Amino acid sequence: MARVQALPPDYQIVYKEMQRYLFKVGPIDLPDGHLLSGIVDFFEEGVAAGQGVLELIGDDVAAFCDDLVKDSRTHADIYQESISGKPGTAKK
């Protein structure tokens, strides 16, 4: 979190929104993976290049996050399977 706090305020806000979104619908291995630290790396590079956070990710934070996890098994997949009753029926 110290690295996140060192980012400019707009980056911090977007990071926290991404984190909240990903913990809600993101990959089931999010706590064990390197996705969040990779986002911080990406943001640090953007700051160093003088780019605004929305220049890096676009205007839709959720769409950016969805693209990051598109090939991962997500909590949303598990929920979809639970209501359909069929494992593996959610996106792959």
Side-chain angles (χ1 to χ4, degrees):
M1 285 310 293
R3 290 174 59 205
V4 173
Q5 292 173 348
L7 294 169
D10 57 335
Y11 277 85
Q12 290 180 40
I13 291 167
V14 171
Y15 177 84
K16 289 174 185 173
E17 288 299 316
M18 291 175 73
Q19 184 181 41
R20 187 175 303 119
Y21 182 81
L22 289 169
F23 273 108
K24 182 177 177 184
V25 299
I28 56 176
D29 63 350
L30 182 64
D32 302 327
H34 300 286
L35 181 61
L36 293 174
S37 63
I39 292 169
V40 175
D41 293 341
F42 179 61
F43 280 7
E44 289 172 337
E45 291 170 12
V47 170
Q51 294 179 291
V53 68
L54 296 182
E55 290 179 75
L56 292 177
I57 68 161
D59 293 333
D60 190 338
V61 174
F64 182 82
C65 291
D66 288 343
D67 194 47
L68 286 176
V69 300
K70 67 182 175 196
D71 294 325
S72 303
R73 185 163 164 78
T74 66
H75 294 288
D77 294 335
I78 293 170
Y79 175 73
Q80 184 64 38
E81 291 167 5
S82 75
I83 61 172
S84 73
K86 298 177 186 174
T89 58
K91 69 177 181 182
K92 294 185 183 196

